[in-house]
Amino acid sequence: MQVTTEAVSGVARRLNVSVPTGRINEQFEARLKRTAKTAKINGFRKGKIPLNVVRREYGAGIYQEVVNDIIRDTVFEAIQQEKINAVGMPNIEKVENTEDALVYEATVEVYPEVEVKAFDGLEVERQISEIKDKDVDQMIENLRKQRQTWVNTKGMAKKDMQVTFDFEGSIDGEIFDGGSAQDYKLVLGAGQMIPGFEDGIIGMKSGEEKVIDVTFPEDYQAENLAGKAAQFKITLKQVEKAKLPEVDAEFLEIFGLAEGEGVDKLKADVRKNMEREVKNGLRNQVKAATFDALVAANEIEVPNAMVAQEIDRQRQQMIQQFTQQFGAQGANAFDASMLPDDLFKEQATRSVKLGVLVSTVLANAKLEVDQARVDAYIDEMSTSYEDPAEVIEYFKNDQQQRSQIEAVILEDQVVDYILASAKVTEKEISYEDLLKEQQARQQQQG
């Protein structure tokens, strides 16, 4: 077999393959004889059919099968022979039978060979954050709000109060489907309703009726309502204000504090959890900023096959999230065609580029996972569980789970390696803003 290779692009190679006719004829004759033993042709006994009759009846089909099998086998032989680091399946073109050989072309995508630019040209912003006493106090206030109760009030409805009401919506005097409800509960200011709706209720009292004018947003999900002016008749039935629990022994017990342990112990525990959040948030921020800079500085071409695989992975991940959120019944009603490739392509392409670049950095720097950092990461993570020792033992004995942690640590090592040469500037950020950024980043990633 003769093979020549030419570059079609940075990530594609064309192989010109020539397979001697003798190899094809040898397999053809062998398969023809096997067919003769099992073929059924009227007028002949099974296994006694002359070879020339089998050739006349089945020869064309058998020959085509042999050609297909030869191409299937030899294309991978050719890829190995030429030491091509292929990704995806080869595309076969221009198949031709000559007197001496079967000749065809095969185009295959290859793993990119990348020369990563020097890191001293990268500019990375590293955020720093410190937990302040007011952050801890606000967190405890949030914990109280999570356990708040509602008490009736005869005063006017204000922001952050909960109201119970009936409403009936109409457009040009005509009531529309889905625009009415009874005993609807709403915390004013939560932004659950269309613009202007909640503002129209503020100032009302229990037992009061009112008609408010609103306009549906232009991008409203119901196309028949988008951009239209509407009127809502509101009948306010109840106004309630929040009542926060006292930070007393009963409240402290909710968080596992023993009798005699007071607010100071709660604050210490809360601060410890917040510091863990900050550490993880800052780690994720600088990793994202470093990798963004790395991708921006290295414009590389990646194979379509790798992008397609990443699109499939992201699609399956989204379907799994849908299943977790809505259960098996919701998943069965979910149509994967609702998630077209274009929905994932940009993010998938970036992920593939980043993966290639990080792999190249790892290879060039000869980085290996630091097992001490892995153990430290697991130890730190375990402290947020009721039984840390059980968590540590779990990751010690489950290699698959440990491998996932090792992948995270190896990425951290790549970040450290890059930052050692990059231009790093520091920016202070509040605890609250750090968490908001982290939530936004998670939403962008899926």
Side-chain angles (χ1 to χ4, degrees):
M1 180 177 69
Q2 295 181 341
V3 183
T4 59
T5 306
E6 58 181 314
V8 179
S9 70
V11 292
R13 302 292 181 269
R14 180 180 293 117
L15 289 79
N16 297 284
V17 183
S18 176
V19 183
T21 301
R23 178 171 175 176
I24 300 169
N25 290 340
E26 181 181 347
Q27 290 195 23
F28 171 69
E29 292 298 330
R31 193 168 301 187
L32 197 67
K33 291 176 182 178
R34 290 199 301 271
T35 302
K37 295 178 181 179
T38 58
K40 294 182 181 179
I41 299 178
N42 291 336
F44 297 94
R45 286 188 299 165
K46 183 178 179 180
K48 300 297 182 179
I49 306 173
L51 200 59
N52 64 325
V53 175
V54 176
R55 189 187 306 274
R56 184 184 68 236
E57 295 291 329
Y58 298 102
I62 292 174
Y63 189 83
Q64 189 57 52
E65 288 177 2
V66 169
V67 168
N68 292 340
D69 290 349
I70 288 286
I71 292 174
R72 180 198 64 203
D73 295 339
T74 57
V75 70
F76 290 108
E77 291 176 17
I79 288 171
Q80 291 181 341
Q81 179 179 310
E82 296 297 295
K83 296 181 172 60
I84 292 175
N85 189 5
V87 294
M89 295 297 293
N91 184 37
I92 308 300
E93 304 171 303
K94 298 182 180 179
V95 179
E96 182 182 358
N97 270 307
T98 68
E99 184 177 346
D100 300 322
L102 168 68
V103 180
Y104 65 89
E105 290 181 358
T107 304
V108 62
E109 291 187 305
V110 298
Y111 194 86
E113 296 180 1
V114 178
E115 184 174 343
V116 180
K117 293 183 180 179
F119 303 137
D120 56 8
L122 299 184
E123 296 183 2
V124 179
E125 181 180 89
R126 187 208 307 265
Q127 293 178 346
I128 56 175
S129 186
E130 180 183 357
I131 301 296
K132 303 184 183 327
D133 290 342
K134 66 176 183 178
D135 296 321
V136 176
D137 292 339
Q138 183 59 55
M139 180 59 69
I140 292 177
E141 188 71 5
N142 293 341
L143 294 175
R144 294 177 68 199
K145 287 180 179 180
Q146 291 172 7
R147 291 157 180 82
Q148 69 185 11
T149 55
W150 298 98
V151 294
N152 194 43
T153 177
K154 295 182 179 180
M156 293 187 300
K158 300 177 182 178
K159 185 180 178 182
D160 296 328
M161 287 185 175
Q162 179 172 267
V163 291
T164 304
F165 60 99
D166 299 341
F167 66 89
E168 184 178 73
S170 61
I171 295 177
D172 296 330
E174 296 291 331
I175 297 172
F176 56 87
D177 291 340
S180 303
Q182 292 184 333
D183 295 327
Y184 192 86
K185 288 186 180 296
L186 174 69
V187 177
L188 296 175
Q192 295 180 8
M193 311 299 279
I194 60 175
F197 192 102
E198 296 177 31
D199 291 339
I201 298 177
I202 290 177
M204 293 180 66
K205 291 184 177 181
S206 178
E208 186 178 347
E209 291 187 358
K210 182 181 180 181
V211 175
I212 60 176
D213 295 311
V214 296
T215 300
F216 283 95
E218 293 291 344
D219 59 352
Y220 193 68
Q221 60 267 29
E223 294 182 3
N224 61 316
L225 300 177
K228 292 188 176 181
Q231 295 76 43
F232 283 90
K233 179 183 177 182
I234 306 295
T235 302
L236 195 61
K237 293 183 172 181
Q238 188 176 43
V239 179
E240 298 171 294
K241 62 181 180 181
K243 180 181 179 182
L244 300 181
E246 296 295 331
V247 184
D248 52 18
E250 183 179 353
F251 182 80
L252 297 175
E253 187 179 359
I254 296 174
F255 301 97
L257 274 70
E259 185 176 353
E261 293 180 319
V263 177
D264 288 343
K265 179 63 167 63
L266 175 62
K267 287 185 175 182
D269 290 347
V270 167
R271 179 182 288 274
K272 184 176 181 180
N273 290 331
M274 293 172 71
E275 287 174 345
R276 186 186 303 112
E277 283 184 311
V278 165
K279 185 175 181 179
N280 290 333
L282 294 177
R283 177 197 287 125
N284 292 333
Q285 179 275 322
V286 76
K287 180 182 291 188
T290 303
F291 286 166
D292 284 346
L294 182 66
V295 172
N298 294 274
E299 185 56 44
I300 63 173
E301 185 180 5
V302 291
N304 292 327
M306 293 179 69
V307 174
Q309 291 171 4
E310 178 61 16
I311 287 174
D312 286 342
R313 188 195 69 79
Q314 292 185 12
R315 180 186 286 111
Q316 291 304 316
Q317 184 180 49
M318 184 172 287
I319 292 173
Q320 288 175 2
Q321 291 173 348
F322 186 91
T323 303
Q324 291 172 358
Q325 184 173 358
F326 298 103
Q329 185 175 357
N332 291 335
F334 186 82
D335 185 358
S337 64
M338 295 166 59
L339 304 175
D341 287 359
D342 288 346
L343 183 65
F344 305 95
K345 189 170 184 179
E346 182 177 354
Q347 184 177 341
T349 302
R350 182 194 178 280
S351 295
V352 172
K353 288 181 178 180
L354 178 59
V356 170
L357 290 168
V358 169
S359 296
T360 304
V361 174
L362 280 170
N364 292 346
K366 296 181 174 59
L367 293 176
E368 296 183 359
V369 64
D370 185 339
Q371 294 297 336
R373 288 180 66 165
V374 174
D375 291 337
Y377 185 93
I378 294 173
D379 287 346
E380 181 180 348
M381 182 178 61
S382 70
T383 59
S384 62
Y385 291 84
E386 186 175 346
D387 188 348
E390 184 179 356
V391 175
I392 294 172
E393 189 68 18
Y394 171 72
F395 282 100
K396 179 180 179 180
N397 295 324
D398 192 315
Q399 187 55 48
Q400 182 177 358
Q401 293 296 326
R402 185 179 179 90
S403 295
Q404 293 179 3
I405 302 297
E406 289 176 347
V408 172
I409 296 303
L410 202 51
E411 282 189 348
D412 288 344
Q413 291 178 234
V414 171
V415 170
D416 292 345
Y417 182 77
I418 294 173
L419 293 181
S421 302
K423 301 172 184 176
V424 181
T425 57
E426 292 187 341
K427 176 185 176 183
E428 189 170 357
I429 185 173
S430 69
Y431 169 77
E432 183 179 1
D433 288 341
L434 176 64
L435 290 192
K436 287 179 180 178
E437 285 192 8
Q438 189 171 5
Q439 290 170 355
R441 192 179 305 118
Q442 289 172 348
Q443 289 176 352
Q444 289 177 352
Q445 295 173 348

